[in-house]
Amino acid sequence: LEYKPNVTLLKHLLNIGFSRVTQGTIATSNTFPVPKDALGIIKSFDSAAIEMEGSGVSYTAWRSNIPLMIIRAISNNIDADGVDLGTPLDALSI
């Protein structure tokens, strides 16, 4: 399934001007790192990030007609093969 962000919420967030913010598609997997057989599918969506919790929240908001936008702080990096590289040392710097 694909959930689109609420346009009003997105415009507001983009006007705030945080540094180190990336706008893009967020893919969801129920495991991390992503299973090798699913990594290719997720890559095909050109996702900016992969996370584990947003799908259930998005589905509930969609079913209830509640505006929603997922904002994630990414802690771990993965390489092109989906191997968890851990958390970079500057992950908490703004």
Side-chain angles (χ1 to χ4, degrees), residues 70-82:
I70 302 293
I71 300 171
R72 301 297 302 191
I74 305 302
S75 60
N76 292 56
N77 288 328
I78 61 172
D79 67 14
D81 296 320

Side-chain angles (χ1 to χ4, degrees), residues 22 24-28 46-52 54 70-72 74:
T22 300
T25 300
I26 300 175
T28 297
D46 196 27
S47 301
I50 303 169
E51 54 91 79
M52 295 179 62
I70 302 293
I71 300 171
R72 301 297 302 191
I74 305 302

Side-chain angles (χ1 to χ4, degrees), residues 10-21:
L10 181 59
K11 285 181 183 178
H12 178 69
L13 177 68
L14 294 175
N15 286 331
I16 291 173
F18 288 114
S19 63
R20 295 179 63 178
V21 172

